[in-house]
Amino acid sequence: MSPQLLSILILGGIFVIATLLPINIGILAFVGSFVVGTFVLGLDEKEIFEGFPVSLFVTVVGVTYLFSVAKLNGTIDLLVDAGVRLVRGRAILVPWVLFVVAAVLTALGTFTPAAVALLVPIGMNFAFKYRISPLMIGMMVICGAHAGAFSPMAVSGALVFGIVAESGLSVSAAVLFFASMAFNLLLAAVTYVLLRRRGEESFDERPSSDDDGSAELPAGGGTATLVRPSRVTVSAKQTATLVALVGLVIGALALHLQIGFLALAAGALLGLMDRENLGKAIDGISWPTILLVAGMVTYVGVLEHAGTIEWVSHAAVGIGAPLVVALLLCLTVGITSAFASSTAILTAVIPMAIPLLLTGSLPAAGVVAAMAISTTIVDVSPFSTNGALVLANARGVDRNRFYKQVITYTCAIVALGPVAAWAVLVLPGAF
């Protein structure tokens, strides 16, 4: 058996095991890197670790630490409350507030599951209290998180841009970011229109009596109910955090400084201002994500040593129909990502598509954007972290019925999303 085929089979086994068992795929990827690198390719330790993503490691540690500090000092809650004030407390517009806040958080560097974990509990409490469809709110939070997930400052964006940059391809960061933003905005709008009137039928319980004096919501989820935002009091810690976030954006985008180091510096300074929570902030670093990304990128580096990526890519090009190959890639990553880690899928598959893109027969930016969107939009699945958070935090619903609703929504996204992304972003540029 050739080293290329063996390394692919091991990669497939990694995904299967990580899907069936509660083990971080990064651990399996590190083990796979050692086994393939040492016993199949004869690489030494230095060569195996050449693919370890040092810059990405610092970025993920930095941004997740900074936002852990921001959560502990109340800045995240402050941003959500400010969003509620912008819609003057109209309950039916709160899903859009959550969408925007989720998009801003991920665009500034919060990892997508972290943003969803912050906002879904808030959204589900709103849904239960004001008779708004919990499915609609949950899916809109996820759409919002994905909408900002491919900014140059975001973890997913940094990952994709790093992979593409190493290949020598020129892909505009703006194209990927705004393509994902527009696609998820459209998906959120469709979800809102189709599900906004399904609030009452979603619940088995009546709203709790502690409704803060809000008006009774009309049947069918009308727009009359007002949420009374709490009085805004901005502390010195929160003011400093907001200034730090603005500084992070300026430093990363305007001055081109390494965002991970900037975030670590900002988080450390803000943490010193809040000594009561200083020790807790490190718990908010997304270590599972860091392990996942570092392991998968390291394994992809071993695949490059084995010539696997070039081998697979030439086989794909040999099919002779680049548009069909691009569609198959979008469908494959979409279906697989519904059951496995989107970050891992992106890390493994995008390098395999790069030689196809180097032929110039397809628009590189369009294919990369379509694959990125196809991989992430299916994270509404209850088998993914985001979908599971929605399912776990829903209040007052029949769990079996709500699970079926989430599954139905997921099936529609998996079936239509990748095809739509390919049709909009790849097909027009091929002619």
Side-chain angles (χ1 to χ4, degrees), residues 119-374:
L119 297 176
V120 160
I122 298 171
M124 288 306 177
N125 280 319
F126 270 114
F128 175 69
K129 195 168 188 178
Y130 299 101
R131 318 308 286 169
I132 303 171
S133 168
L135 180 64
M136 181 262 285
I137 280 194
M139 297 304 108
M140 287 187 67
V141 169
I142 295 176
C143 287
H146 290 155
F150 289 100
S151 83
M153 296 171 59
V155 175
S156 298
L159 174 65
V160 172
F161 296 136
I163 294 172
V164 172
E166 290 179 0
S167 71
L169 284 172
S170 177
V171 175
S172 169
V175 169
L176 179 57
F177 174 56
F178 287 112
S180 178
M181 174 70 75
F183 201 94
N184 282 282
L185 179 61
L186 178 60
L187 179 57
V190 173
T191 300
Y192 182 81
V193 169
L194 294 179
L195 299 179
R196 62 172 292 189
R197 295 289 178 180
R198 298 188 61 182
E200 289 291 332
E201 63 189 59
S202 299
F203 297 96
D204 287 342
E205 306 171 23
R206 297 302 303 169
S208 59
S209 58
D210 54 48
D211 61 359
D212 299 328
S214 297
E216 181 72 18
L217 186 66
T223 59
T225 297
L226 298 179
V227 182
R228 292 182 180 177
S230 57
R231 184 183 299 274
V232 175
T233 302
V234 183
S235 67
K237 300 172 187 176
Q238 293 165 344
T239 301
T241 303
L242 294 172
V243 171
L245 293 177
V246 173
L248 189 69
V249 174
I250 295 173
L253 298 184
L255 303 179
H256 306 290
L257 299 175
Q258 214 284 337
I259 187 173
F261 289 126
L262 290 177
L264 282 172
L269 290 174
L270 294 170
L272 292 174
M273 295 177 62
D274 187 13
R275 294 189 181 184
E276 292 182 3
N277 293 314
L278 184 58
K280 300 176 184 177
I282 197 169
D283 295 335
I285 297 176
S286 185
W287 297 115
T289 300
I290 293 167
L291 183 59
L292 182 154
V293 172
M296 283 302 302
V297 174
T298 302
Y299 189 79
V300 169
V302 173
L303 292 181
E304 290 176 345
H305 271 289
T308 303
I309 292 176
E310 184 178 359
W311 181 68
V312 171
S313 301
H314 283 308
V317 173
I319 294 176
L323 273 176
V324 175
V325 174
L327 176 59
L328 291 176
L329 284 173
C330 288
L331 288 170
T332 299
V333 297
I335 294 170
T336 307
S337 186
F339 299 93
S341 165
S342 298
T343 307
I345 299 294
L346 280 173
T347 306
V349 177
I350 285 183
M352 296 183 183
I354 285 175
L356 173 66
L357 301 178
L358 289 173
T359 65
S361 56
L362 294 174
V367 173
V368 171
M371 290 179 63
I373 291 169
S374 299

